[in-house]
Amino acid sequence: MTETFQFRLLAEDGRARRGEISMPRGTIRTPAFMPVGTAGTVKAMYPDQVRELGADIILGNTYHLMLRPGAERVARLGGLHEFARWPHPILTDSGGFQIMSLAALRKLKESGVTFRSHVDGQVHELSPERSIEIQGLLDSDIQMQLDECIRLPAEREEIERAMELSLRWAERSAAAFGEQPGKAMFGIVQGGDQPDLRIRSAERLSAMNLKGYAVGGLAVGEPQSVMLEMLDVTLPAMPHAKPRYLMGVGTPDDLLESVRRGIDMFDCVMPTRAGRHGLAYTRFGKLNLKNARHAEDSRPLDEQSDCSAARDYSRAYLHHLVKANEILGAMLLTWVNLSYYQFLMQGIRDAIEAGRYDDYVASVKEGWARGEA
Amino acid sequence: MTETFQFRLLAEDGRARRGEISMPRGTIRTPAFMPVGTAGTVKAMYPDQVRELGADIILGNTYHLMLRPGAERVARLGGLHEFARWPHPILTDSGGFQIMSLAALRKLKESGVTFRSHVDGQVHELSPERSIEIQGLLDSDIQMQLDECIRLPAEREEIERAMELSLRWAERSAAAFGEQPGKAMFGIVQGGDQPDLRIRSAERLSAMNLKGYAVGGLAVGEPQSVMLEMLDVTLPAMPHAKPRYLMGVGTPDDLLESVRRGIDMFDCVMPTRAGRHGLAYTRFGKLNLKNARHAEDSRPLDEQSDCSAARDYSRAYLHHLVKANEILGAMLLTWVNLSYYQFLMQGIRDAIEAGRYDDYVASVKEGWARGEA
């Protein structure tokens, strides 16, 4: 822990990087996976459990929290860390992405975006300045600029317009954030699936000298190959000495391939959402516990796992819980999945340190392909 | 733990009893509250947590388990203890109560009852013999006779008919259960709100020399005063040296008043169900966390509680989780409630041992009435 936000690169293996973000609330070992705590809770998990699995940081969603319980209320209650019993670092997104995917009647202007809450129908306005204000009220450690993220495929003109708007919003967000030595505000590279727009966005953001940078607008409908191609062209245009965060990504395979290209941070609802839908991620690949073939299988998901949920409960029992819609099913499978994601990140970090990242990736993928033989 | 089912009375205070049931899978300190694990899970709780709160035994529902995953399947998987990761004693009900409340197209005959599953619409038949067979497949430690439980108010004739049928089914259940030294089958006193029928039922069952006895058909629509009056007349007609189990009861106040009259065991969905509906039971009474007055209350539910959920999370956060329908809200409030119920039972047991049960009841009720002042 340090009094100011700092990023150190500890090791590199090809383009893969092993690093460390230090800030007053704690140290984040990178590459890092941030479990998503949408509305102030990593769904179906006690906060202590999330920590014990090895998470150094979680993500909170500005959109959800501004609507309920409200940013000013969270501030009066001592901030999001106190509210949600997570004293460690928190990253918040800007709210932009969820407005586009969840809110009704949204209207985008140069100044910001107005929308109707999906919770109670009330109209809200979010500008770059208000987003930073809200993230400040939440007392977020790593804050994100407001951007416009569009789905792919999209017309080049539309991608360019949104990218340019996001750059102007980055300037305004940075000005609103000002100087906060113990915290950081990250800019977000946009540009869809257009290499030159991605590069332009990355270069213009780099010139702003922010404390960290995200790649946004990927994993929004395009094939994985397009996403990786965008990382291939974008990352070299981003500052080497700053943390790089790939937003909303992804599958275990996405993580391996993105780290290989130089990504340091990830967040994704996949392990938590999958856990609520009967899916388990393990060393042997992805399993659908709803499948009848598990109904009388007395084996655990992974008898060698450090995670009790993966080691101590039979597949037959998990199958039953999922079929019967029992809360314990969501609890156990979310636990299994977050445990596997953190296990994977630990393996990634160890492999980069040891200079054998490619071997590690090959052996992990072999495990998935082999299944359980 | 003992190789045979045994009940010892350790202390008495008035009609309140402090005892101990010993059986191969463990010892049950009485008066005992049994958390309800309907479909092989105490909802929203890890089994280890349930144990840590002080539960010596949990209840499983024959109706739910016979439909899903099926008794034969549970047996093939090693029994309910192995399946649900609960190596301690389990009591199963007979299935009769849920058939009456949940199943469709039910038809009662002398031989048993046919019904349509609420899960998949399939027709099933449950007889006293089949109920005992199912409970044996589940490997239940304390099994219950099939009975007919009717709602109150009801006509005396109807109550008497159901009570007499239940007595005949008790005989058949006992015959089907046979000799199983490490396990027990309990008979169930019926008779609605008719004192003479209750007494007749209790006496006829006593003559069967079963290992334990339940009082059924209470808390089914009648006021608490009627329930307690029925206990007053029924319990003296039941064997003193056998455990007495009041089925499906109740509120914390019901527990205090029933123990005072000589009840040793309880089960109830109240703490778990209430936890999923935003209600908390504490030393200060019952709280509805949905209520807006908790929205900015940074106090925990009970800062002196041994239960982390009651001690470490603010009411404001619990309010938020409940309003946002977050799984963690159900997890924390179920934990709070089961913790309070077990805390209450420990207090009850200590008070009886110390010969100050009436004082204890008075002080607990004073706490509820005073609130938090």
Side-chain angles (χ1 to χ4, degrees):
Chain A
M1 285 191 259
T2 53
E3 285 188 28
T4 56
F5 177 95
Q6 288 172 22
F7 178 60
R8 284 198 307 151
L9 278 173
L10 304 175
E12 294 178 68
D13 182 6
R15 284 181 284 157
R17 303 131 58 93
R18 165 80 177 93
E20 206 168 78
I21 296 172
S22 291
M23 46 196 325
R25 282 205 178 87
T27 297
I28 301 155
R29 296 161 293 168
T30 66
F33 179 79
M34 304 183 280
V36 176
T38 305
T41 155
V42 176
K43 291 185 196 295
M45 295 285 287
Y46 299 109
D48 300 337
Q49 273 182 301
V50 177
R51 181 66 174 175
E52 278 159 27
L53 292 179
D56 295 328
I57 178 169
I58 61 171
L59 179 140
N61 285 120
T62 286
Y63 172 80
H64 287 90
L65 292 164
M66 72 183 279
L67 298 182
R68 187 170 54 194
E72 277 75 9
R73 173 168 290 170
V74 172
R76 284 193 296 273
L77 289 163
L80 187 55
H81 304 77
E82 176 78 17
F83 185 62
R85 274 196 85 233
W86 180 266
H88 320 292
I90 292 178
L91 180 148
T92 45
D93 63 8
S94 68
F97 184 81
Q98 262 87 23
I99 290 174
M100 296 304 158
S101 55
L102 293 177
L105 287 182
R106 51 189 184 270
K107 238 191 189 139
L108 189 88
K109 294 176 298 185
E110 182 65 29
S111 59
V113 53
T114 56
F115 63 94
R116 221 177 255 289
S117 155
H118 78 287
V119 175
D120 61 6
Q122 265 204 291
V123 174
H124 292 260
E125 191 162 350
L126 196 66
S127 63
E129 292 77 13
R130 175 63 180 156
S131 174
I132 294 297
E133 184 184 14
I134 289 171
Q135 295 179 71
L137 287 163
L138 298 173
D139 204 14
S140 165
D141 302 284
I142 301 181
Q143 305 179 17
M144 301 302 298
Q145 70 151 101
L146 188 65
D147 62 340
E148 186 190 357
C149 175
I150 57 174
R151 300 263 161 212
L152 294 176
E155 295 296 320
R156 179 179 164 90
E157 252 172 63
E158 177 65 3
I159 293 171
E160 184 169 11
R161 184 201 54 70
M163 183 274 280
E164 290 287 347
L165 178 69
S166 295
L167 283 172
R168 294 191 296 278
W169 283 3
E171 298 270 18
R172 287 167 57 189
S173 299
F177 183 78
E179 291 295 322
Q180 299 188 49
K183 297 186 173 190
M185 195 219 72
F186 285 15
I188 304 176
V189 176
Q190 289 290 353
D193 53 4
Q194 306 290 311
D196 62 316
L197 298 183
R198 285 276 167 192
I199 291 169
R200 195 200 304 168
S201 174
E203 288 176 347
R204 298 256 301 276
L205 281 169
S206 300
M208 294 182 201
N209 195 26
L210 305 172
K211 290 181 188 167
Y213 293 92
V215 180
L218 291 176
V220 290
E222 81 287 1
Q224 190 204 37
S225 60
V226 172
M227 178 181 89
L228 297 179
E229 188 197 325
M230 288 305 111
L231 293 182
D232 282 331
V233 301
T234 307
L235 292 182
M238 289 167 69
H240 186 262
K242 304 278 174 79
R244 301 157 169 180
Y245 160 33
L246 180 54
M247 303 184 78
V249 172
T251 63
D253 189 69
D254 290 339
L255 303 189
L256 290 177
E257 292 301 333
S258 304
V259 165
R260 201 205 288 270
R261 287 160 174 82
I263 290 292
D264 306 304
M265 301 168 71
F266 301 91
D267 83 278
C268 192
V269 294
M270 202 164 282
T272 38
R273 181 172 293 165
R276 298 194 303 284
H277 289 89
L279 300 170
Y281 288 97
T282 77
R283 293 187 294 134
F284 312 113
K286 189 166 133 185
L287 263 77
N288 185 348
L289 269 307
K290 276 186 196 154
N291 197 304
R293 75 189 161 93
H294 304 298
E296 300 210 359
D297 191 337
S298 60
R299 294 174 303 161
L301 285 171
D302 183 351
E303 61 186 13
Q304 283 170 40
S305 175
D306 283 339
C307 170
S308 168
R311 188 190 57 224
D312 300 330
Y313 297 82
S314 71
R315 298 175 195 208
Y317 185 56
L318 295 170
H319 169 79
H320 166 67
L321 294 175
V322 169
K323 294 294 281 186
N325 258 319
E326 285 288 346
I327 291 177
L328 183 59
M331 291 164 64
L332 290 172
L333 289 176
T334 302
W335 188 6
V336 165
N337 292 341
L338 284 179
S339 165
Y340 180 67
Y341 267 64
Q342 296 297 352
F343 170 82
L344 188 67
M345 298 316 293
Q346 186 59 50
I348 285 173
R349 291 191 295 265
D350 291 346
I352 298 171
E353 275 181 26
R356 45 171 189 80
Y357 188 68
D358 286 343
D359 289 351
Y360 175 72
V361 170
S363 81
V364 170
K365 292 194 184 194
E366 204 182 289
W368 296 338
R370 193 176 50 235
E372 303 170 88
Chain B
M1 285 193 260
T2 51
E3 284 186 31
T4 56
F5 177 95
Q6 289 174 20
F7 178 60
R8 283 198 307 151
L9 278 173
L10 304 174
E12 294 179 67
D13 182 6
R15 283 181 285 157
R17 304 133 56 92
R18 165 80 179 93
E20 207 169 76
I21 296 172
S22 291
M23 47 199 322
R25 284 206 177 86
T27 296
I28 301 156
R29 296 161 294 169
T30 66
F33 178 79
M34 303 184 278
V36 176
T38 305
T41 155
V42 176
K43 290 183 195 296
M45 296 285 286
Y46 299 108
D48 299 338
Q49 275 182 299
V50 176
R51 181 65 175 176
E52 277 159 28
L53 291 178
D56 295 327
I57 177 170
I58 61 173
L59 179 140
N61 284 121
T62 286
Y63 172 79
H64 288 90
L65 292 165
M66 71 183 278
L67 298 182
R68 188 172 52 194
E72 277 75 8
R73 173 168 291 170
V74 172
R76 283 191 297 271
L77 289 162
L80 188 54
H81 303 78
E82 175 79 16
F83 184 62
R85 273 194 87 230
W86 180 267
H88 320 292
I90 292 177
L91 180 148
T92 44
D93 63 7
S94 69
F97 184 80
Q98 263 86 23
I99 290 175
M100 295 305 158
S101 55
L102 293 177
L105 289 181
R106 50 189 184 272
K107 239 191 190 139
L108 189 88
K109 295 176 296 185
E110 181 67 30
S111 58
V113 53
T114 56
F115 63 95
R116 220 177 255 288
S117 156
H118 77 289
V119 174
D120 61 6
Q122 266 204 289
V123 175
H124 292 259
E125 189 160 354
L126 196 66
S127 63
E129 293 78 12
R130 174 65 180 155
S131 174
I132 293 298
E133 183 184 15
I134 290 172
Q135 295 179 71
L137 287 164
L138 298 173
D139 203 15
S140 165
D141 302 284
I142 301 182
Q143 306 179 16
M144 301 302 299
Q145 70 149 104
L146 188 66
D147 62 339
E148 185 190 357
C149 174
I150 57 175
R151 301 262 162 212
L152 295 175
E155 296 296 322
R156 180 182 163 88
E157 250 172 66
E158 176 67 3
I159 294 171
E160 184 168 8
R161 184 200 54 71
M163 183 273 280
E164 290 286 348
L165 178 68
S166 296
L167 284 173
R168 294 190 296 276
W169 284 2
E171 299 268 18
R172 287 168 54 189
S173 300
F177 183 79
E179 290 297 321
Q180 300 187 47
K183 298 186 172 189
M185 194 218 71
F186 285 16
I188 305 175
V189 175
Q190 291 288 354
D193 53 4
Q194 306 291 312
D196 62 317
L197 297 183
R198 285 275 168 193
I199 291 168
R200 194 200 307 169
S201 174
E203 288 176 346
R204 296 255 300 276
L205 280 169
S206 301
M208 295 181 203
N209 195 25
L210 304 172
K211 292 182 187 168
Y213 293 92
V215 181
L218 291 176
V220 289
E222 80 287 2
Q224 190 205 38
S225 58
V226 172
M227 177 180 89
L228 297 179
E229 190 198 324
M230 288 305 111
L231 292 183
D232 282 332
V233 301
T234 307
L235 292 182
M238 289 166 68
H240 187 262
K242 304 276 174 83
R244 302 156 168 182
Y245 159 34
L246 180 54
M247 303 185 79
V249 173
T251 64
D253 190 70
D254 289 339
L255 303 190
L256 290 177
E257 291 302 333
S258 304
V259 165
R260 203 204 289 270
R261 286 160 174 81
I263 291 291
D264 306 305
M265 302 167 70
F266 301 91
D267 82 279
C268 192
V269 295
M270 203 165 282
T272 37
R273 183 173 291 166
R276 296 194 305 282
H277 289 89
L279 300 169
Y281 288 96
T282 77
R283 291 187 295 134
F284 312 114
K286 187 166 135 184
L287 263 76
N288 184 348
L289 268 307
K290 275 188 196 153
N291 198 304
R293 76 188 161 92
H294 304 298
E296 300 210 359
D297 192 337
S298 59
R299 293 175 302 162
L301 285 171
D302 184 350
E303 60 186 14
Q304 284 169 39
S305 175
D306 283 339
C307 170
S308 169
R311 186 189 60 222
D312 301 330
Y313 297 81
S314 71
R315 297 173 195 211
Y317 185 55
L318 295 170
H319 169 80
H320 165 66
L321 294 176
V322 170
K323 294 293 280 187
N325 258 318
E326 285 287 348
I327 291 176
L328 184 59
M331 290 164 63
L332 289 172
L333 290 175
T334 302
W335 188 6
V336 164
N337 292 342
L338 283 180
S339 164
Y340 180 67
Y341 266 64
Q342 295 298 351
F343 170 82
L344 188 67
M345 298 315 294
Q346 186 58 51
I348 285 172
R349 290 190 295 263
D350 291 346
I352 298 170
E353 274 180 28
R356 46 172 188 80
Y357 188 68
D358 285 343
D359 290 351
Y360 174 73
V361 170
S363 81
V364 170
K365 293 193 183 194
E366 205 182 289
W368 297 338
R370 194 174 51 234
E372 304 169 89

